[in-house]
């Protein structure tokens, strides 16, 4: 059984972190993914959000600085998806101060009008991205992105992949006092 929650991003996740930790402890494993954004480091963010400590079944991962850096990390697929030169895609996306801004700048260079229309905000609109932003990046991940290739260029993603691989079958089973 799995459930995907997408309700407002960072603020929603931070507000509900205690409930997610309890869900992981009592019901099922939880993978929680958020952006580092302006926090100093992932450990600082995790300790600030969950000072009591995380359940072993809460996989709390932090993308450095934003999950967009993980998209950029598969440079060949990203360049091909947008129809741009691979040389324009940053080779160390985790080191960008604002990966989303870098990603949007690359979308502006795309020769694919439909992607620019879907991903970029409309002129005069205060929303930072287009209505199809999430749909297009979900399509990119599903149909083009290769996590192994991306993990080689993103230490943050590589650590997340390693942690997921270490998550064993015994970690998925409820502790005896709850089963």
């Amino acid at each position: 059984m799995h459930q995907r929650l997408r309700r407002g991003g960072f603020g929603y996740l931070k507000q509900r972190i205690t409930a997610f930790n309890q869900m992981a402890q009592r019901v099922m494993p939880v993978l929680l993914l958020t952006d580092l954004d302006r926090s100093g480091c992932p450990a600082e963010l995790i300790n600030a959000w969950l000072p009591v400590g995380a359940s072993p079944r809460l996989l709390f991962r932090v993308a450095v600085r934003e999950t967009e850096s993980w998209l950029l990390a598969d440079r060949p697929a990203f360049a091909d998806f947008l129809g741009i030169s691979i040389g324009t895609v940053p080779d160390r996306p985790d080191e960008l101060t604002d990966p989303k801004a870098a990603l949007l700048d690359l979308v502006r260079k795309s020769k694919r009008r439909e992607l620019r229309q879907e991903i970029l905000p409309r002129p005069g609109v205060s929303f930072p991205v287009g209505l199809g932003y999430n749909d297009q990046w979900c399509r990119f991940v599903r149909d083009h992105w290769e996590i192994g290739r991306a993990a080689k260029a993103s230490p943050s993603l590589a650590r997340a992949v390693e942690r997921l691989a270490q998550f064993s079958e015994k970690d998925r089973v409820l502790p005896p006092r709850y089963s």
Side-chain angles (χ1 to χ4, degrees), residues 154-166:
S154 169
S156 168
L157 176 60
R159 288 189 297 272
V161 168
E162 183 179 328
R163 178 62 183 105
L164 286 171
Q166 292 171 347

Side-chain angles (χ1 to χ4, degrees), residues 78-153:
F78 193 86
D80 185 57
F81 184 71
L82 291 181
I84 60 175
S85 164
I86 192 171
T88 61
V89 182
D91 59 353
R92 294 184 179 162
D94 283 4
E95 296 178 10
L96 297 170
T97 54
D98 191 345
K100 181 181 275 185
L103 179 144
L104 291 172
D105 285 343
L106 291 170
V107 171
R108 287 182 183 91
K109 297 175 182 172
S110 175
K111 296 173 185 157
R112 301 202 168 115
R113 186 176 57 165
E114 77 280 2
L115 292 178
R116 291 192 315 270
Q117 290 175 335
E118 290 280 320
I119 295 170
L120 297 173
R122 300 234 181 241
V125 175
S126 62
F127 206 68
V129 297
L131 293 175
Y133 186 86
N134 287 331
D135 290 340
Q136 290 300 330
W137 294 123
C138 285
R139 184 171 69 87
F140 170 68
V141 168
R142 184 185 61 242
D143 300 339
H144 304 277
W145 190 70
E146 289 188 25
I147 194 168
R149 192 167 47 205
K152 290 178 183 173

Side-chain angles (χ1 to χ4, degrees), residues 45-95:
L45 183 142
I46 291 169
N47 288 334
W49 282 28
L50 201 54
V52 297
S55 161
R57 297 177 356 130
L58 176 66
L59 300 174
F60 191 172
R61 305 308 312 170
V62 181
V64 176
R65 298 240 153 237
E66 298 169 324
T67 53
E68 284 81 355
S69 68
W70 292 2
L71 301 176
L72 292 164
D74 185 355
R75 294 176 69 222
F78 193 86
D80 185 57
F81 184 71
L82 291 181
I84 60 175
S85 164
I86 192 171
T88 61
V89 182
D91 59 353
R92 294 184 179 162
D94 283 4
E95 296 178 10

Side-chain angles (χ1 to χ4, degrees), residues 21-42:
N21 197 34
Q22 290 171 347
M23 181 187 304
Q25 184 66 37
R26 298 179 183 153
V27 181
M28 63 183 165
V30 174
L31 171 61
L32 185 112
L33 174 62
T34 191
D35 295 334
L36 181 60
D37 282 323
R38 308 223 188 296
S39 295
C41 70

